[in-house]
Amino acid sequence: MASLKDLRNRIASVKATQKITKAMQMVAAAKLRRAQEAAEAARPYSERMDAVLANIAQAVAGGGEAPALMTGNGKDDVHLLVVATADRGLCGGFNSQIARLARDHIRKLTAEGKKVKILTVGRKGYDMLRRDYAQLIIDRVELKEVKQIGFANADEIAKKVIARFDAGEFDVCTLFYSRFKSVISQIPTAQPLIPAATGETEEGSNAVYEYEPSAEEILGDLVPRNIAVQIFRALLENAAGEMGAKMTAMDNATRNAGEMIDKLTITYNRQRQAQITKELIEIISGAEAL
């Protein structure tokens, strides 16, 4: 049985941990609002970009030639998985859920005889996937030094992906991230990047449009930009999801620490009372012996 001093030290240690988890919860709550607003603001732009691309692609289908980033290279042999996670932990199962979805996709592609390559964005995704698929990881990007995610960060990643596609290193690219739904719910998502998956055309898209410059030239500029936009949206969704998951995890940790402190305090008081009672009995027994 632990001594009273050991129990006091343990209670003090748990209280110190509780203060840390409470502080981390408050920091995550403060960051969550900004991250959530940024993620929600990026969704309409991303969806509108998909609709515009769908309209232009429809026009190109009538006789033009779409870029390879949109149509693919006609092959489906080599797959690049861009797995975006957080750079830090202490956010519950946020990172592991994304990594699990990527692992399932890897196993499925491998069973079909496809070759898989991995590009990780975020340190946690790299740490989790390298245990089983270190030989498949061809590049990694870490953003832990970036205080606020900007479009330039996503554009840099998009350029790496496009450069590898132009070099013929892969045929299909899929982006993995976690879509923010609420503080307690983040949805692991796999989104096709190359060939570009365009959304539904806008209402009234049966109208005939004339493009200046040509639709092919517009697509040549918009498709790479759309890839960067989709990656940017994924990074913003991840940032919001990470803060939501961290806030929930730290709230649970704070409550668990409180319960542990209560149990330790009860044990300490019982043991202290037993020790006092024992000392009193010894004193009384000694007095009676005299």
Side-chain angles (χ1 to χ4, degrees):
M1 183 178 292
S3 65
L4 291 177
K5 183 178 180 181
D6 291 337
L7 287 171
R8 283 197 302 268
N9 290 339
R10 190 172 180 188
I11 291 172
S13 175
V14 176
K15 283 183 177 179
T17 302
Q18 187 183 40
K19 290 180 181 178
I20 294 172
T21 57
K22 184 63 177 177
M24 292 181 69
Q25 177 192 350
M26 295 175 67
V27 170
K31 291 182 177 180
L32 173 62
R33 182 177 178 182
R34 285 180 295 169
Q36 182 177 353
E37 289 175 351
E40 291 175 348
R43 290 173 187 171
Y45 183 84
S46 171
E47 292 166 0
R48 183 74 171 179
M49 175 74 83
D50 277 346
V52 170
L53 282 176
N55 284 334
I56 302 177
Q58 189 178 49
V60 170
E65 183 177 347
L69 287 173
M70 173 172 280
T71 61
N73 56 13
K75 295 186 292 183
D76 185 28
D77 300 326
V78 184
H79 289 248
L80 175 66
L81 310 186
V82 180
V83 183
T85 60
D87 282 286
R88 296 174 177 84
L90 297 178
C91 48
F94 174 79
N95 295 309
S96 59
Q97 289 176 354
I98 302 173
R100 186 181 304 115
L101 181 62
R103 286 194 189 98
D104 292 342
H105 201 70
I106 292 170
R107 284 193 287 266
K108 178 182 176 183
L109 291 174
T110 304
E112 294 174 356
K114 310 294 184 183
K115 184 177 180 181
V116 178
K117 298 181 179 180
I118 303 172
L119 188 156
T120 60
V121 180
R123 184 172 62 88
K124 286 299 178 180
Y126 173 78
D127 291 342
M128 291 178 177
L129 292 176
R130 71 174 178 176
R131 299 170 190 169
D132 301 319
Y133 304 108
Q135 70 281 5
L136 303 181
I137 299 176
I138 60 173
D139 201 356
R140 56 185 291 198
V141 177
E142 292 188 7
L143 302 173
K144 62 182 178 181
E145 302 298 332
V146 179
K147 293 184 179 179
Q148 186 171 356
I149 298 295
F151 182 76
N153 305 116
D155 190 45
E156 183 179 348
I157 297 170
K159 287 178 179 177
K160 287 187 175 185
V161 173
I162 294 172
R164 290 184 179 276
F165 179 75
D166 291 338
E169 295 185 19
F170 66 90
D171 306 318
V172 178
C173 179
T174 306
L175 174 64
F176 292 84
Y177 67 98
S178 189
R179 183 165 58 86
F180 178 81
K181 184 177 181 182
S182 67
V183 175
I184 59 174
S185 178
Q186 299 84 36
I187 305 173
T189 304
Q191 177 180 339
L193 269 187
I194 301 174
T198 55
E200 297 293 330
T201 57
E202 298 171 304
E203 293 183 6
S205 59
N206 292 330
V208 178
Y209 293 97
E210 291 185 2
Y211 298 96
E212 181 65 34
S214 67
E216 293 82 359
E217 291 181 52
I218 295 175
L219 284 177
D221 180 69
L222 280 186
V223 174
R225 180 176 292 272
N226 181 57
I227 292 174
V229 166
Q230 300 306 324
I231 293 176
F232 183 44
R233 175 185 174 180
L235 295 180
L236 293 178
E237 295 276 357
N238 266 1
E242 178 192 357
M243 290 302 109
K246 181 168 292 186
M247 192 176 82
T248 302
M250 292 301 102
D251 179 53
N252 291 335
T254 301
R255 274 186 275 155
N256 290 339
E259 292 175 3
M260 184 177 292
I261 290 170
D262 292 341
K263 291 179 181 179
L264 289 172
T265 301
I266 291 173
T267 302
Y268 174 82
N269 290 337
R270 284 177 177 172
Q271 191 168 332
R272 182 169 175 268
Q273 186 176 3
Q275 186 172 338
I276 292 173
T277 302
K278 180 181 177 182
E279 291 174 354
L280 285 174
I281 291 173
E282 291 176 352
I283 293 172
I284 294 170
S285 299
E288 290 179 352
L290 295 174

